[in-house]
Amino acid sequence: MKGVEQNAPENINLAFIYLPTAAMVPFIIIYLLAILNKRKPKIHMRYMIATAVSLLGPGIGRIHFGFTDLTTAIMFAFALSDLFFIGFLAFEYFKTKVYKPYIVSLLICLF
C-alpha cells in the first residue's frame, strides 16, 4: 500500500485518513504540555518522548500485519503505542521517579 489510491477498497483509504487524524489531537495536547514545561528539563524531555510515541499509531497502522478488519488494525496500532507508554512508565517509576508525564500522556492517548 502506498497511500490513498484510486482503485483501493474504501476501508483501506479510510484507514490512511483516520489514523493520522486520530493521532493529531493527543500529539498537539502532549506537545503543548512539553512546551509549557520547557523550564523543567526532566518533565519536558519525557513529554517530548511522549509526542514521538503518540505518533507511532499511524506509522504502525500502515504496516500490514495480516489483519483483514480495519477496526482490528486500528486497535492494534494504538494499543502498541499504549504499550510503549506503559513500558516507559514502569521504567521511570522504578528508575528515576519522574513518571507523571507518562501517566498524563497515556491517559490522553487512551481518551
Side-chain angles (χ1 to χ4, degrees):
M1 288 189 311
K2 298 173 191 163
V4 178
E5 298 177 7
Q6 293 287 0
N7 299 326
E10 183 180 2
N11 65 342
I12 300 298
N13 287 335
L14 287 177
F16 268 78
I17 295 169
Y18 172 77
L19 283 173
T21 307
M24 280 185 349
V25 174
F27 172 79
I28 291 170
I29 293 170
I30 296 169
Y31 181 76
L32 287 174
L33 288 170
I35 297 303
L36 290 173
N37 287 292
K38 67 182 178 181
R39 298 204 188 270
K40 303 172 190 167
K42 291 180 180 180
I43 295 173
H44 173 76
M45 177 186 69
R46 282 153 181 88
Y47 276 125
M48 291 307 287
I49 291 170
T51 60
V53 173
S54 71
L55 292 177
L56 282 178
I60 298 296
R62 285 169 172 71
I63 299 172
H64 182 64
F65 286 107
F67 297 120
T68 57
D69 182 24
L70 174 64
T71 306
T72 306
I74 291 171
M75 293 301 289
F76 177 76
F78 286 111
L80 193 60
S81 62
D82 292 341
L83 285 175
F84 271 98
F85 278 127
I86 292 169
F88 284 135
L89 178 63
F91 176 79
E92 294 290 342
Y93 180 76
F94 292 111
K95 201 72 167 172
T96 63
K97 304 296 185 200
V98 184
Y99 58 87
K100 289 180 184 170
Y102 291 125
I103 292 175
V104 171
S105 301
L106 177 62
L107 290 175
I108 290 169
C109 287
L110 285 176
F111 299 106

